[in-house]
Amino acid sequence: MDFTSWPALLVVDTEGNGTSPPDLVELAVLPVCGGAADKTVAGAWLVRPERPVTPRATSVHGLTNAVLAGAPSWADIASEVHAFLAASWICAHNAHVDYRVMKAHLPGWEPSGVLDTLRLSRATFPDLPGYSLDHLIKLLKPDLSEAPAQRHRATFDAFATAQLLVIMADRYETWDQVVSAAVPPNLPGAPKPGPDLTLW
C-alpha cells in the first residue's frame, strides 16, 4: 500500500454524556500521514455538556461532572473544531455513530468521506468471532505504547483505531480498494454504483 497517495485523513473518536441524543464530553482528532498516526498535530478537547454526565457513561470513560466543570462549552470550541476538521476524510470505529454525533454538533461541516474500521475489519477478516475495538486489538496487536490516556477515552481510542486502520489497509493495494471495503453506504465517500450495462 502506498500511503503517500492517501488524501488528508483524520481518525476521530467521540465520548458522550450518556443521554439520547448525546452531548459531547470529549473529542479526539488524530491525523494519519504516510501510514502513521501524527500525534504532534492532533487535536483533543474536553467539553462541558449542557446536561449532566450519567453514571453509566462515567463508568465507561471515567469522565465525571466535576472533571468537566472547568472545560469549555461546545459553543466555545465549535469553530476551532470545525476549522481543524476542514473537509478532510475521517475514520472511526463504527463510524456512523461518531459521524452522526459530530454532524449534530457541527451542522455546517461535511467530510470528504468516512472510513469505518468496523466495516473494514469485517471485509478484511470475515470469520472473526467479534469486531469490537478490543477484539481487533487482541487479534492484530497494534503498538499502543504511545497511546495517551486509557481505553474508552477519546485520545486512546483514536490512537488505537489509527493503528488498526494502517495495519488493515496495508493488506490492500490501493486507496480505492480501502474505500470500497471501508465506507458505509450512504455516508460521504461511498463509491457510486456503476452504470447499468444491461441491454434492456
Side-chain angles (χ1 to χ4, degrees):
M1 168 63 70
D2 177 14
F3 288 102
T4 63
S5 67
W6 284 28
L9 175 68
L10 303 169
V11 176
V12 301
D13 189 79
T14 60
E15 301 296 335
N17 67 332
T19 63
S20 182
D23 294 336
L24 277 176
V25 297
E26 188 177 29
L27 171 65
V29 182
L30 179 63
V32 172
C33 305
D38 187 355
K39 293 197 303 178
T40 65
V41 289
W45 298 267
L46 289 177
V47 185
R48 184 179 72 252
E50 293 185 4
R51 295 166 292 178
V53 182
T54 66
R56 185 176 184 279
T58 293
S59 72
V60 174
H61 50 56
L63 293 168
T64 65
N65 292 299
V67 166
L68 297 169
S73 69
W74 180 251
D76 293 331
I77 63 170
S79 60
E80 178 186 355
V81 173
H82 196 164
F84 195 101
L85 293 168
S88 299
W89 278 74
I90 65 166
C91 174
H93 196 69
N94 204 9
H96 75 278
V97 173
D98 297 272
Y99 172 73
R100 185 173 64 240
V101 171
M102 291 170 67
K103 280 291 290 181
H105 284 75
L106 293 169
W109 164 76
E110 186 74 4
S112 293
V114 180
L115 297 181
D116 183 2
T117 47
L118 175 59
R119 185 177 178 87
L120 180 62
S121 65
R122 287 174 170 157
T124 309
F125 306 107
D127 299 317
L128 295 186
Y131 294 91
S132 68
L133 211 56
D134 290 322
H135 272 103
L136 295 174
I137 289 170
K138 184 176 181 179
L139 171 72
L140 299 179
K141 298 179 172 54
D143 181 4
L144 301 179
S145 60
E146 296 185 13
Q150 67 277 341
R151 179 75 173 93
H152 296 298
R153 288 293 301 274
T155 50
F156 182 101
D157 289 0
F159 187 89
T161 299
Q163 301 294 89
L164 293 170
L165 169 65
V166 171
I167 290 170
M168 290 188 289
D170 204 30
R171 293 172 174 258
Y172 295 81
E173 293 183 1
T174 68
W175 164 255
D176 288 344
Q177 290 175 349
V178 173
V179 166
S180 181
V183 179
N186 303 318
L187 286 190
K192 301 287 190 297
D196 186 354
L197 299 180
T198 59
L199 295 177
W200 303 100

